[in-house]
Amino acid sequence: MRQLYIRQTPGVLNGVRPVLDVHRQTLYLITGQFGWSRAQLIASSASGEVLAEAKQLSLGIMPKFAIYFNGKEVGSVRRTFGFWREIIYIHGLNWVVMGNLMSGKYKIYHGTHIIANMRPVDGADGGYDQLSVANHSAEPVCLLIAAIMDRWSKQNGRRRLVHNQALRLGQEPKTLGPEYREKE
């Protein structure tokens, strides 16, 4: 799984967010806005090529987004009611997003296979959302889903921007041994 890092921007819900790799190189850009009719998010390459889009179809407490990949609609996602655990189904892709608004941790499943997972980490220059994606071609769509989930967690005012786990960009994360396991 490749590790991608999305800079957390407290208080800023719209604009441009760079997506970095472990070597601090910009791989993608997430641009766009939320909260108004026909708003959209765009995941583009660092050179500006549009890879995926999420277009907001409805407003209200349960907004709906259509997800486009390579110019074709591949699915849709709608917010559901939940308390601390969220379970969201992505129609068309048959993916299920399971997570927790309070902690900002989410996993995306297709059946029993993990497509991606997201969790907050601390960097030397602030907080990041670490997105681990199993399939390189699914990265743009997973980035949009991560941005939508991040927005919904910030809308509720529940998202903590302080985390316990340190991260040093520029080094590969270690995955073996109990000292490297994710702390709850």
Side-chain angles (χ1 to χ4, degrees):
M1 289 189 142
R2 183 156 82 157
Q3 310 296 317
L4 302 174
Y5 298 93
I6 307 167
R7 174 81 182 210
Q8 289 180 3
T9 54
V12 178
L13 299 175
N14 299 320
V16 178
R17 296 174 73 185
V19 179
L20 310 173
D21 65 5
V22 294
H23 303 291
R24 300 186 65 86
Q25 300 296 315
T26 301
L27 299 177
Y28 300 102
L29 296 172
I30 300 174
T31 58
Q33 296 182 347
F34 282 101
W36 51 278
S37 181
R38 304 295 180 219
Q40 66 180 4
L41 285 176
I42 298 172
S44 59
S45 66
S47 63
E49 175 189 358
V50 174
L51 303 171
E53 296 176 85
K55 295 182 180 180
Q56 189 165 353
L57 301 176
S58 66
L59 300 172
I61 56 175
M62 294 193 309
K64 182 176 181 180
F65 291 87
I67 299 172
Y68 295 84
F69 182 67
N70 291 331
K72 294 183 181 180
E73 184 174 352
V74 295
S76 65
V77 60
R78 176 185 295 268
R79 182 163 185 190
T80 58
F81 282 114
F83 291 101
W84 292 283
R85 302 277 303 163
E86 292 287 326
I87 299 173
I88 296 172
Y89 183 70
I90 301 174
H91 297 274
L93 293 173
N94 298 325
W95 291 359
V96 175
V97 181
M98 297 177 69
N100 187 311
L101 281 177
M102 293 183 73
S103 67
K105 296 178 183 178
Y106 299 96
K107 290 188 179 184
I108 302 172
Y109 294 93
H110 179 81
T112 58
H113 301 287
I114 294 178
I115 303 295
N117 61 51
M118 184 175 98
R119 66 186 177 99
V121 294
D122 281 335
D125 57 346
Y128 289 85
D129 288 322
Q130 178 187 39
L131 183 67
S132 303
V133 183
N135 185 347
H136 176 71
S137 64
E139 286 177 352
V141 173
C142 290
L143 286 169
L144 292 177
I145 293 169
I148 291 168
M149 298 302 290
D150 183 52
R151 164 64 178 193
W152 287 344
S153 68
K154 287 179 182 175
Q155 270 183 329
N156 287 346
R158 296 180 182 169
R159 181 73 183 268
R160 294 181 306 164
L161 293 176
V162 178
H163 315 288
N164 297 327
Q165 190 160 4
L167 163 76
R168 283 185 231 127
L169 295 178
Q171 296 181 349
E172 290 289 333
K174 297 191 182 343
T175 56
L176 301 176
E179 65 274 15
Y180 298 109
R181 290 194 183 135
E182 181 177 326
K183 297 177 184 172
E184 295 296 325

